[in-house]
Amino acid sequence: MTKEIFGKEVQVNEKMGLSKEEVQRRLEEFGYNQLEIRTGKKFFEYLKETVKDITILILIFATILSGYIAFTVHPDDFSEPIVIFSVVLLNIYLSIRQQKNAEKSMNELKKMSVSTSKVLRDGQIKEIESTAIVPDDIIQLELGDRIPADAKILSCSNFFVDESFLTGESEPSEKNPEYIPLEHDSLGDRKELVFSSSLVVTGKAKVRVEKTGIHTEIGKISSLINNEAANTAPLQLKMQKLGKALGFVAILVGFFAIGIGVIKGLPLETSIMTAISMAVAAISEVLPVVVTISLAVGMSNMAIKQTIVRTPSTVETIGGVSVICSDKTGTITENRMTVKCVSPLGDLSNTIFNITEDKEKNLLFLFYLASSIEANATVSSNPTELAISKALAEAFTQEELTNAASTVEKVYEIPFDSKRKRMTVLYKVKEQYISVTKGAFDRLSIINDKQDFYLQEHDKLAEQAYRVLAAAYKTYENFPTGISDDELECSLNLAGFVGIMDPARAESYQAVAAAKQAGIETVMITGDHLLTAEKIAEDVGILAEGKKAMTGADLNKLGDEELAAVIQDYRVFARTSPEDKIRIVKVFQSNDEIVAMTGDGVNDAPALKAADVGIAMGGGTEVAKEASDMILADDNFATIVAAVEEGRRVYSNIRKSLYAMLGCNISALTIVLISLLLGWGAPVTAIQLLIIKVVADGIPGFSLSVEPADKEGMKYPPISKYESIFSNGLLLKIIEISAVFTGVTLIAILVGQAQSVEITRTMTFIVLGLSTIVHMYNCRSTGSIFKMDFLSNSLLAATTIAGALIIILLVNIPVTQQIFGFVTISLINWIWVLGLSIFPLVYIEIKKYFHLF
């Protein structure tokens, strides 16, 4: 026969398979049956990205200038360039660590490939490497096989395939070579096809390969992951913007300082050192480190709460999430079929199965007898049989079940057939016989006159999204003559129904409610059927009143602009493909939402990568985990809410650090600038400023990152990705405290100038350092410091005390006095600097008292 493959006509012989020569030709034309693997970035690529940061570039340039001046003016003292360059190295190291999120998704997909397969070649079945499979190969599949390529079924018997990793459906897919696909069929509806990496659950089949390698459905997913660029976190964008602004200011004031020096006739070396001091004052060398460490602390806290965060910026991003797009199977639900409803309808009192007074238990025992499981079964490839087995074990004690089973003797079985959708077992009970049939209600031949009533009861269960199975029976006084399907499966008495469902996780209900309270909408995106998805979504509170659901087919009828206009009205998307999931995520993002996507299957991986925060379940596939930003180790949907709370805490504390540090930066810059304009010279050197910004500003500022979460933090709406990190009055607070710092420091300069340059620098250094340390306690809360537990943040207490001691020791120890340019000051000067240093605290406390802060 002739067949078209990839747009070309080829000859196919289904009895002989492909010849060796034809296989070789197709390998050359179509390539090997394997996925594309991308290699990660090398160290120097990460380094190249890092040194593009303007803060790093300015510090490197300051190191070079400082080193040149040290070499030409004081070759015996390189302490200043060494200190500056140490800060450069620390920033580069932490930046590279933050970037280095190795993309292992493709390698994990490769692990899912099948090593060998049974293929018809040259008229013989051969076991070959699966990478050598080509389009139109004939493959034999049986129980336990993992399918090596996308293929069309030629023939099969009772053939079921687990495609949950691809479609999101809990139940194995029943295959039918005669199925005629409809125009808008999803992958889960394609009963005539099997897909690469799916698992054969029952039966046997002969299939013909249609697509291999990157052309398969899993190959498309790998391409989606490969082509999806990683999102830049909102915090990263905000900090990059801030870094560029501060860098621009640093460059501008540096040139300004040199210009002023030239105009005033100062030596070039003096002008350059003043410029370096101003540049160091303008940029926030420690802030990137503090932000990185704050995020690292958040990662550690999340790990304690069973959340593994793969990238530091995710800690902050999760706090701003406004939409959680959640997969259903294995995420909101348990991914475990369970009997949720037992509905006895027929009268079992006159049968030989009436083993207890409990009608539901009698009905379950009847289902058990019509199943292909043993009394002690603990595992099964069929989720439906497992569900019945579990329900039976919960209803009966082992002794009861053993006693009941001992009264019956299995005589004959008609196994389940996918075309007939039923199975029947004949038993001997004492001297009588009874046949029990289990299957789809519309495939059972019921004798009584209650057909309409039974149909109504069946539909009630079906409308609740249950998978409904019926059990019926037929009794015989003697062994039935001419055992056949027609004889055993006609004129049956209906015993009742069971409703089976993959139930929602218990914690999903509370998680959805908590997310809603925090202003976060939960959206279900699943490959499962619409009715099932709607039922689960209604139960857990996702599909609230006024919200709608749609299928992937309906989704594809809408353009992106049309979908963006109505997407806020929808909370459930069913029968979706991996491409649909990415599209939904991106449309939400186009509406300025920060989107988290949860999932556990391979089919979720591209959307996990496209989302602002991809959240994989710990029990999910490795592909999903490697494509995600964070992993829930306990598979608990509710853990997401705890992660959001931690993210909000981290973001709030980073704002506190900004308030603390930028106040110091701006005031230091202002002080140097005013001193330069007034001809006083630089009141502090670059190295003295660096000491202040690390010891008094940076390390204590980092300690603010462990401030406890605000109790009201989860009652506010999410922060917009476009909202400035200085919003809600933070910028005005920074400017205000900078003015206070500048005022008290200028007073110290004036007091010192009446004595000497060295005393001026020493007093300026102490006031800048101690006032910055004291200000840390202003930053902790909008409430008064006197109403807070001083030791509730023991790290801040320790670092501020240590910072204050270091500053005091540096200006009093002879060795450090000589290295850093300090002198011993008098008692009266100490009174001045200590009084000026605590003034910012007094000022802010007054404002807090009058509720003006």
Side-chain angles (χ1 to χ4, degrees), residues 279-300:
V280 169
I283 63 175
S284 186
E285 308 89 345
V286 183
L287 185 58
V289 179
V290 170
V291 170
T292 301
I293 295 176
S294 298
L295 295 174
V297 171
M299 290 175 71
S300 177

Side-chain angles (χ1 to χ4, degrees), residues 321-601:
V321 162
S322 56
V323 174
I324 299 175
C325 293
S326 176
D327 181 40
K328 178 185 75 68
T329 305
T331 306
I332 291 176
T333 67
E334 297 177 358
N335 195 19
R336 181 172 54 85
M337 300 303 289
T338 304
V339 174
K340 301 294 289 182
C341 177
V342 181
S343 179
L345 296 175
D347 182 10
L348 294 179
S349 62
N350 62 347
T351 74
I352 53 182
F353 287 120
N354 188 26
I355 59 175
T356 76
E357 296 293 328
D358 190 321
K359 292 182 179 181
E360 291 189 2
K361 290 177 69 172
N362 283 340
L363 180 58
L364 281 174
F365 187 68
L366 208 63
F367 271 100
Y368 161 69
L369 292 177
S371 301
S372 300
I373 52 178
E374 301 296 331
N376 62 349
T378 56
V379 294
S380 170
S381 58
N382 191 311
T384 300
E385 304 284 69
L386 266 180
I388 293 172
S389 176
K390 186 174 183 293
L392 194 78
E394 291 174 351
F396 289 85
T397 66
Q398 187 61 47
E399 183 180 0
E400 285 178 327
L401 190 56
T402 301
N403 291 339
S406 66
T407 63
V408 300
E409 179 187 348
K410 188 174 181 179
V411 177
Y412 182 74
E413 178 179 328
I414 304 173
F416 179 85
D417 183 271
S418 59
K419 293 181 180 178
R420 300 180 331 108
K421 294 189 179 297
R422 61 184 182 270
M423 71 175 291
T424 300
V425 185
L426 179 65
Y427 289 93
K428 181 179 180 181
V429 185
K430 297 181 180 178
E431 300 303 321
Q432 294 179 297
Y433 293 86
I434 185 167
S435 63
V436 187
T437 302
K438 177 191 72 180
F441 176 64
D442 61 352
R443 299 299 181 93
L444 302 186
S445 174
I446 308 299
I447 61 170
N448 52 54
D449 58 357
K450 296 183 180 180
Q451 193 77 350
D452 290 342
F453 169 71
Y454 291 155
L455 183 60
Q456 288 177 2
E457 293 302 308
H458 172 276
D459 290 348
K460 284 180 184 178
L461 296 178
E463 287 169 2
Q464 296 178 61
Y466 292 126
R467 182 181 180 218
V468 184
L469 289 180
Y473 64 92
K474 186 176 181 181
T475 57
Y476 311 83
E477 290 295 326
N478 300 302
F479 186 79
T481 58
I483 293 179
S484 66
D485 296 6
D486 293 337
E487 171 66 21
L488 297 179
E489 296 180 344
C490 70
S491 303
L492 301 174
N493 298 286
L494 184 69
F497 300 118
V498 292
I500 301 176
M501 175 183 277
D502 178 16
R505 293 176 179 271
E507 60 271 12
S508 294
Y509 298 85
Q510 294 179 347
V512 171
K516 190 171 293 185
Q517 183 185 37
I520 303 168
E521 293 294 342
T522 305
V523 177
M524 180 187 289
I525 308 177
T526 177
D528 215 336
H529 293 279
L530 180 63
L531 187 62
T532 304
E534 285 181 319
K535 170 62 178 173
I536 295 293
E538 286 175 1
D539 285 349
V540 301
I542 294 174
L543 196 60
E545 186 177 352
K547 299 303 179 181
K548 306 175 186 177
M550 73 162 64
T551 64
D554 296 329
L555 181 72
N556 292 327
K557 295 176 184 177
L558 300 175
D560 285 348
E561 290 185 4
E562 294 174 294
L563 182 59
V566 301
I567 198 167
Q568 298 294 351
D569 297 329
Y570 288 85
R571 290 295 174 265
V572 175
F573 297 88
R575 305 305 275 171
T576 55
S577 68
E579 292 88 349
D580 292 334
K581 293 182 179 184
I582 290 181
R583 187 179 173 214
I584 293 165
V585 167
K586 289 189 172 181
V587 169
F588 270 119
Q589 289 172 329
S590 72
N591 282 354
D592 296 337
E593 305 284 3
I594 297 179
V595 182
M597 172 74 195
T598 73
D600 61 354

